Amino acid sequence: MQFLLAISRLIDTVNEWVGRVVLWLVVPMVAIGAYNAIGRSLDKSVGTRLASNTYFELQWYIFSLIFLLMVGYVLKHDGHIRVDVVYARLDERGRAWVNMLGSILFLVPFALVLFYVTLPLVSFSVQVREMSLDAGGLPRWPLKLMLLPAFILLALQGLSEFVKNLAFLRGVLPRLPHEAKGEVA
Amino acid sequence: MVLQGGGVELLGGAMFLGALVLIFTGYPVAFALGGVALIFGAVGIAIGEFDLRFVGSLPQRIFGIMSNYTLLAIPYFIFLGLILEKSKLAEQLLDTVGQLFGPVRGGVAIAVVLVGTLLAATTGVVAATVVAMGLISLPVMLKYGYSKPLATGVIAASGTLGQIIPPSIVLVVLGDQLGVSVGDLFLGALIPGLMLSGALVLLVALVALVRPKMAPALPPEARPYKGWELWRRALVAMVPPVLLILFVLGSIFFGIATPTEAGAVGSVAALIMAAFYRRLSWKVFRDAVVETARFTSMVIFILIGATAFSLIFRGLEGDKLVKDVLVALPGGEIGFIVFVMVLVFILGFFIDFFEIAFIIVPLVLPAAEAIWRAQAEALQMAGNYDLSTEAFVQGKLLWFGIILAMNLQTSFLTPPFGFALFYLRGVAPPEVKTTDMYRGVIPFIAVQVLVLIITIAFPALSSWLPSLRGTPGG
Amino acid sequence: MKRRDFLKKAGIGAVAASTVFGPVYAQTAQRIRWRMATSWPRSLDTLFGAAEIVAKRVSEMTDGRFEITPFPAGEIAPGLQVLDVVQAGNVECGHTANYYYVGKSPSLAFDTGVPFGLNPRQQNAWLYFGGGLQAMQRVMADFNAITFPAGNTGVQMGGWFRREIKGPEDLKGLRFRIPGLGGQVMTRLGVTVQTLPGGEIFLALDRGAIDGAEWVGPYDDEKLGLNKAARFYYYPGWWEPGSTVSAIVNLERWRSLPKEYQEIFKTACREANEATLAEYDAKNSPALARLQRAGTQIRPYPTTVLQAANRESTALYEEIAAKDATYRGIYTSWKTFRDEIRRWFATNEFRYDDFVRNLR
Ligand code: NA
Ligand code: NA
């Protein structure tokens, strides 16, 4: 169990740091979104081309990176939405059961299936160096490639949650990870 | 493909039940939906009724979400809302407006509806408006002792206005499905949308009158200012958010930004404004960034879970199940409309608007067109030769699109699969129970149904504005 | 249909029935059901209709044994990802425009059509008899798919503008919504190209966030309401002079299909190719008249604009050809074909068209 908990801590650290770095992408995303609108309006008067599909696509590239790579971090911080009609009435052990079973029966398989079905798509896209079809568009393959680490980070965090809840149920951990910190995302 | 009729369709039906049970255990909605999809896909494969390869379209659908430009409105408007909230500019607004209506019960809730209406005019993405409204106004209402059901109900309902008051994604999807001009739908939805917002105000006023405890007037100690001083303060407090909303609306209206970019432009303006009022600290900025990233991932992964769910649902021919329900449509326009409306309303309890639009509209469209074509021909026979059948049918379809959108509006609110409720859940503090939200939305759903009936009964409400519109002057 | 009902009542199984009464092909008697992912929203009813024609005719010619169900864009996969799901075998077949995949292989542009390329008849001549289809099928084989022409939009329109375009200088700094190769040519003419999705076009154009937008032709543009957002409607759509839309089939599924069904599928595609063009021609003329009556100003592109655009198109093709060998091969033979068939059309067709144009 201690070994599993060590792995879980490692996963937690990885997702924590990926999340902490990736979340700052919000700043360039907002900036580029505003730049697109303003640049397009100024185009005529400035006489050079400020707006283009490059920035237009860049904003949704960044948007994708944010939600994809943050997924493990959000799971670690128990930030994914729950309908707590029943959950709120369960005691700590009951919640641990829900999270332990949910992680191993639903989340991890879902993430692994996503990884498995995405692999051929991504490898082909990389192989042909897939591009945008539009003028000034960006290469598509690096973005599609990012799907893979996202699903891995999700699957790993699912495993980590499984281990932590299991450890709690077996009395190895004194408290549930989220409730220990009293965190609400 | 080995899909044959019979048992498979029931499997599709069982999927809903499975998702329902799983979501109610409290496991995160995104992965409960995804997990149920996988389990039923696996069962389908095991009994030879489902082709594994079909699941392979999932990454394409996820890539479709990634490259969906319109969804960018979600992080943009969430960021905008967070800056307003963290810098306390929003609180100040609702606070002073609340004081202004201080002696009036329900004042803050009415302010929420009005702000929600303005926000609705800037974006058509419900997730964005519900999250933004929840962030801004829920803490204020709770602080002043509003009942939790009323507070969450009014936020969910006002936040959802974004999808009927143009611009709106729902209207874009319906325009696509019905083959009606999106521009006409936008114009046509304006009056019914504003009516709905007015009806929400009336409902809040009524609740405040009948159940004063749910929407209390502010206590005297929360209203330190009186008379001119209060008015002056209210006006000062109103300046930043109202300016900001006008700025967002104006950037769309004057063609500077697309409705999606307006959120980004508005965010930058909000930052500048917060800085101007000396409310912009590093902490405010950092918290807004962190939470925007979190909410974005949280909201989009619900969409990803939902897209997995609906792919498998379709793979198991669950859409055929719905079709079977529709086989014998009762004749006549009124019977048809009533039937479709009731069906959409009931489906709204379980599945999201996008799937309803995709499943129901193609099924009922041929019947609808046949009915209206026959009506047009009957009118022509009766001597109305100026009437063009095409124009008549298009007019009817426009009206049909708007009442469908009004009806789908409720699907965001109806428990258990009301997406507005999921999003609000994500930003509500833990002491607000999901059951509070479920109870809270019921009167608002009732009001929506009422407005829907009025819109059905008086087609002019939706056809008048589009009819004014010719070709632009240049 | 009645025959089948009778047989059902008589309790004779479908297999036995087809061997006894069925036409020759029915010896296969194999029941096949395919899904067809398409790139078309339901509102593009003529293009979605092309997919429906393929499905309907295949079903009719096999007495219902080979059933194909077309799905609008987004129901199985997003509209621009049809090739991906066919390639991976997630669905058996699709209906799409192959120039959506130029990001994967630039040569696929020729399958649909390129700026200043072939008109619909010339395009069919090239595909069916000029070696075009074989060339495109060789490219598509790399994507584990086979393609067949299955619809044509005719010469498209040149888009909606809020202001008049009097010469190439009016294009400089203009914000225009146009995807694909046409957008690349426009960029070279100084246009700021913004590829907004279909649903965003109306409001952006109406409010002036963009100065112009192109969609398809009068019939489809009218439905999008673009005439209510911009006043000037330009012709011709030189970037899409006769866009071919295609039915694509996963290669393994194609190979496992009985020979008869393969032939039936190809025949159905040919019918869709012809019928869709006819349908567009029939629908577009009254739509244009309606638009005109409602006040839309219909304008030809100035010759100077067309010349500049043609120049940039050629330059663009040469650039791509320098980088991509497959493209270079196809482009060279395509160009020869184009020049020859243009001479023939110029001698005969255009002279006739030119004369009747002025008849009343
Ligand atoms: Na809206
Ligand atoms: Na076009």
Side-chain angles (χ1 to χ4, degrees):
Chain A
M1 199 75 237
Q2 286 307 329
F3 173 67
L4 289 179
L5 277 171
I7 292 177
S8 154
R9 272 193 298 275
L10 180 68
I11 295 172
D12 283 7
T13 313
V14 169
N15 263 320
E16 182 67 30
W17 280 103
V18 170
R20 282 190 192 184
V21 172
V22 169
L23 60 87
W24 286 104
L25 287 175
V26 167
V27 179
M29 179 181 66
V30 171
I32 291 170
Y35 172 86
N36 276 331
I38 295 162
R40 201 186 319 105
S41 319
L42 293 181
D43 257 6
K44 265 259 152 77
S45 41
V46 179
T48 55
R49 202 178 305 155
L50 296 173
S52 81
N53 271 336
T54 312
Y55 298 107
F56 195 79
E57 289 189 359
L58 199 55
Q59 59 181 335
W60 63 258
Y61 271 47
I62 300 177
F63 162 69
S64 301
L65 288 183
I66 293 171
F67 75 74
L68 285 175
L69 298 178
M70 289 289 291
V71 66
Y73 174 94
V74 176
L75 183 62
K76 173 173 181 275
H77 289 268
D78 194 18
H80 287 289
I81 299 166
R82 301 170 186 272
V83 169
D84 60 354
V85 177
V86 176
Y87 191 75
R89 290 193 172 80
L90 296 176
D91 63 359
E92 225 175 325
R93 287 188 68 81
R95 295 183 196 191
W97 273 105
V98 167
N99 288 328
M100 186 185 75
L101 292 179
S103 302
I104 207 69
L105 294 179
F106 305 123
L107 189 144
V108 174
F110 184 51
L112 291 179
V113 166
L114 283 176
F115 182 85
Y116 173 76
V117 293
T118 306
L119 202 55
L121 163 87
V122 170
S123 67
F124 189 80
S125 179
V126 173
Q127 205 183 312
V128 298
R129 294 282 185 275
E130 185 176 359
M131 281 291 302
S132 160
L133 74 126
D134 294 316
L138 300 168
R140 285 281 184 271
W141 62 268
L143 183 65
K144 287 193 173 171
L145 194 60
M146 285 297 128
L147 283 164
L148 298 179
F151 299 145
I152 290 178
L153 288 172
L154 178 61
L156 285 176
Q157 194 58 41
L159 284 176
S160 168
E161 297 303 314
F162 170 74
V163 170
K164 284 184 279 187
N165 283 291
L166 180 68
F168 169 76
L169 286 172
R170 298 182 72 185
V172 182
L173 276 185
R175 301 229 44 200
L176 268 183
H178 311 299
E179 314 207 358
K181 283 176 274 168
E183 253 178 0
V184 188
Chain B
M1 191 121 308
V2 270
L3 288 168
Q4 308 291 342
V8 211
E9 295 159 24
L10 289 179
L11 214 51
M15 262 185 93
F16 279 117
L17 230 59
L20 211 63
V21 170
L22 211 58
I23 284 175
F24 272 104
T25 63
Y27 198 65
V29 176
F31 308 117
L33 285 171
V36 167
L38 284 193
I39 289 170
F40 278 82
V43 171
I45 290 165
I47 61 172
E49 297 283 15
F50 186 81
D51 190 335
L52 177 62
R53 277 176 291 200
F54 196 58
V55 186
S57 347
L58 206 43
Q60 308 300 343
R61 290 166 77 100
I62 294 174
F63 190 72
I65 292 175
M66 291 160 71
S67 54
N68 186 333
Y69 170 74
T70 314
L71 290 181
L72 272 164
I74 293 174
Y76 289 159
F77 279 94
I78 287 176
F79 187 69
L80 174 65
L82 280 162
I83 292 288
L84 283 180
E85 186 231 6
K86 302 275 171 204
S87 67
K88 303 219 183 299
L89 286 173
E91 186 180 336
Q92 190 183 331
L93 168 76
L94 285 165
D95 228 38
T96 43
V97 172
Q99 289 191 33
L100 209 57
F101 291 105
V104 184
R105 293 190 296 254
V108 183
I110 288 173
V112 167
V113 177
L114 297 182
V115 173
T117 308
L118 287 173
L119 206 57
T122 63
T123 179
V125 181
V126 168
T129 43
V130 170
V131 170
M133 290 302 296
L135 285 168
I136 295 168
S137 55
L138 190 53
V140 178
M141 280 197 280
L142 294 180
K143 182 170 126 194
Y144 288 132
Y146 273 66
S147 90
K148 288 168 197 156
L150 177 67
T152 48
V154 75
I155 291 171
S158 329
T160 316
L161 282 172
Q163 75 94 43
I164 190 76
I165 293 176
S168 141
I169 291 187
V170 173
L171 292 176
V172 168
V173 170
L174 283 174
D176 239 25
Q177 293 284 301
L178 291 168
V180 181
S181 147
V182 174
D184 283 347
L185 275 177
F186 278 7
L187 279 175
L190 195 58
I191 292 179
L194 292 177
M195 262 170 49
L196 182 54
S197 130
L200 296 182
V201 170
L202 289 180
L203 174 64
V204 171
L206 188 73
V207 170
L209 200 69
V210 186
R211 294 273 172 82
K213 278 203 179 119
M214 292 183 84
L218 298 194
E221 61 273 20
R223 293 184 275 127
Y225 307 106
K226 299 263 153 22
W228 275 115
E229 175 63 8
L230 174 60
W231 277 99
R232 195 188 62 80
R233 284 182 174 265
L235 282 175
V236 170
M238 256 191 269
V239 169
V242 169
L243 256 184
L244 194 61
I245 286 164
L246 290 180
F247 184 79
V248 169
L249 281 177
S251 71
I252 298 172
F253 187 82
F254 293 109
I256 292 161
T258 65
T260 303
E261 290 162 346
V265 174
S267 295
V268 173
L271 283 172
I272 293 171
M273 202 164 277
F276 179 81
Y277 282 88
R278 307 202 176 281
R279 299 289 184 83
L280 185 66
S281 62
W282 172 247
K283 187 176 168 359
V284 167
F285 183 69
R286 192 197 55 201
D287 288 356
V289 167
V290 172
E291 287 181 32
T292 302
R294 282 192 189 190
F295 285 134
T296 303
S297 191
M298 161 188 113
V299 167
I300 302 295
F301 264 85
I302 289 194
L303 294 183
I304 289 178
T307 205
F309 184 88
S310 51
L311 179 71
I312 306 294
F313 182 65
R314 202 176 290 287
L316 292 171
E317 307 212 335
D319 42 353
K320 281 223 175 125
L321 180 77
V322 177
K323 195 176 185 171
D324 288 346
V325 177
L326 263 171
V327 271
L329 274 180
E333 187 186 20
I334 294 170
F336 170 80
I337 293 291
V338 168
F339 188 87
V340 172
M341 288 296 127
V342 170
L343 183 80
V344 169
F345 183 75
I346 291 171
L347 281 175
F349 284 96
F350 301 104
I351 53 181
D352 81 298
F353 82 90
F354 201 65
E355 284 302 309
I356 295 178
F358 269 146
I359 295 170
I360 297 300
V361 174
L363 290 179
V364 301
L365 190 57
E369 282 182 329
I371 289 172
W372 290 322
R373 225 171 273 283
Q375 263 187 21
E377 276 148 24
L379 286 170
Q380 285 158 352
M381 294 280 272
N384 191 347
Y385 292 112
D386 291 344
L387 184 84
S388 130
T389 308
E390 272 314 304
F392 181 83
V393 172
Q394 281 286 312
K396 284 286 189 181
L397 284 177
L398 177 69
W399 167 73
F400 188 52
I402 285 161
I403 60 178
L404 267 179
M406 281 295 249
N407 200 340
L408 289 172
Q409 165 105 12
T410 60
S411 83
F412 281 98
L413 292 181
T414 42
F417 282 176
F419 275 59
L421 303 177
F422 290 162
Y423 301 140
L424 187 56
R425 173 71 276 169
V427 291
E431 68 262 27
V432 176
K433 300 281 171 263
T434 305
T435 38
D436 291 333
M437 294 166 44
Y438 285 180
R439 263 188 297 144
V441 291
I442 291 169
F444 291 92
I445 293 171
V447 163
Q448 296 208 347
V449 172
L450 196 68
V451 176
L452 171 65
I453 291 171
I454 295 173
T455 316
I456 294 175
F458 302 99
L461 290 170
S462 46
S463 65
W464 182 59
L465 278 182
S467 72
L468 295 181
R469 190 74 189 279
T471 292
Chain C
M1 284 297 131
K2 274 195 180 127
R3 181 174 60 93
R4 283 212 312 175
D5 289 347
F6 162 73
L7 289 171
K8 227 185 243 166
K9 275 183 196 138
I12 304 169
V15 178
S18 51
T19 44
V20 178
F21 302 104
V24 229
Y25 64 79
Q27 279 165 3
T28 324
Q30 199 172 327
R31 255 194 89 85
I32 295 179
R33 295 179 72 192
W34 277 8
R35 288 186 172 98
M36 179 183 254
T38 80
S39 295
W40 324 118
R42 230 168 248 282
S43 54
L44 285 176
D45 57 352
T46 320
L47 288 175
F48 188 70
E52 289 179 317
I53 291 172
V54 175
K56 181 166 168 282
R57 293 299 292 139
V58 163
S59 168
E60 284 169 355
M61 287 188 275
T62 58
D63 204 13
R65 272 182 293 272
F66 184 3
E67 260 183 79
I68 299 174
T69 313
F71 290 88
E75 288 200 7
I76 291 177
L80 297 179
Q81 260 108 56
V82 170
L83 176 57
D84 302 68
V85 287
V86 171
Q87 178 184 0
N90 309 136
V91 290
E92 296 81 2
C93 61
H95 194 275
T96 183
N98 287 333
Y99 72 166
Y100 291 150
Y101 314 106
V102 291
K104 301 176 198 286
S105 173
S107 333
L108 287 174
F110 292 105
D111 188 69
T112 312
V114 296
F116 296 100
L118 307 168
N119 73 18
R121 277 181 52 197
Q122 298 165 342
Q123 173 80 356
N124 281 333
W126 179 67
L127 285 169
Y128 291 132
F129 297 99
L133 188 53
Q134 284 105 306
M136 289 300 114
Q137 288 183 344
R138 271 196 299 278
V139 176
M140 281 305 253
D142 293 343
F143 298 88
N144 193 27
I146 186 165
T147 181
F148 303 100
N152 196 305
T153 62
V155 186
Q156 298 195 1
M157 282 292 280
W160 298 84
F161 291 85
R162 292 164 61 88
R163 273 169 285 151
E164 270 186 282
I165 306 297
K166 296 205 168 107
E169 62 288 348
D170 286 343
L171 291 175
K172 296 236 159 34
L174 196 87
R175 299 159 301 179
F176 192 58
R177 183 268 174 201
I178 174 173
L181 270 185
Q184 301 201 17
V185 176
M186 283 290 198
T187 306
R188 299 169 79 105
L189 292 170
V191 172
T192 300
V193 170
Q194 300 271 285
T195 313
L196 294 173
E200 300 253 341
I201 301 172
F202 173 80
L203 203 64
L205 184 61
D206 185 49
R207 296 323 325 161
I210 49 176
D211 306 304
E214 70 92 41
W215 189 234
V216 185
Y219 177 75
D220 293 320
D221 292 10
E222 186 188 29
K223 279 195 168 187
L224 209 57
L226 293 180
N227 57 316
K228 297 189 176 173
R231 189 178 189 188
F232 300 101
Y233 196 20
Y234 274 79
Y235 66 87
W238 44 264
W239 51 88
E240 299 203 66
S243 293
T244 299
V245 289
S246 306
I248 56 177
V249 183
N250 176 283
L251 210 49
E252 286 129 36
R253 295 303 180 104
W254 178 255
R255 289 191 182 127
S256 69
L257 204 60
K259 186 84 176 73
E260 300 93 297
Y261 285 8
Q262 285 186 353
E263 291 306 316
I264 285 168
F265 189 89
K266 286 199 258 183
T267 307
C269 289
R270 282 242 187 176
E271 275 192 45
N273 197 23
E274 180 193 340
T276 310
L277 181 61
E279 193 175 338
Y280 259 123
D281 284 340
K283 281 171 168 174
N284 273 331
S285 55
L288 188 72
R290 277 196 301 276
L291 290 170
Q292 211 157 7
R293 273 201 302 278
T296 292
Q297 302 289 309
I298 295 161
R299 296 269 191 283
Y301 271 112
T303 309
T304 48
V305 169
L306 294 176
Q307 281 164 339
N310 183 36
R311 224 174 13 249
E312 291 303 334
S313 302
T314 311
L316 177 65
Y317 304 149
E318 299 291 343
E319 267 174 36
I320 304 173
K323 280 185 287 192
D324 187 308
T326 316
Y327 182 96
R328 189 160 57 241
I330 295 170
Y331 173 59
T332 314
S333 77
W334 174 86
K335 202 165 52 171
T336 315
F337 185 90
R338 180 195 64 184
D339 295 346
E340 267 173 28
I341 202 165
R342 272 194 187 156
R343 272 198 294 279
W344 153 239
F345 268 66
T347 308
N348 195 10
E349 297 279 337
F350 294 163
R351 175 68 189 122
Y352 174 76
D353 289 348
D354 226 29
F355 177 73
V356 296
R357 191 167 66 134
N358 299 315
L359 290 180
R360 274 281 131 202

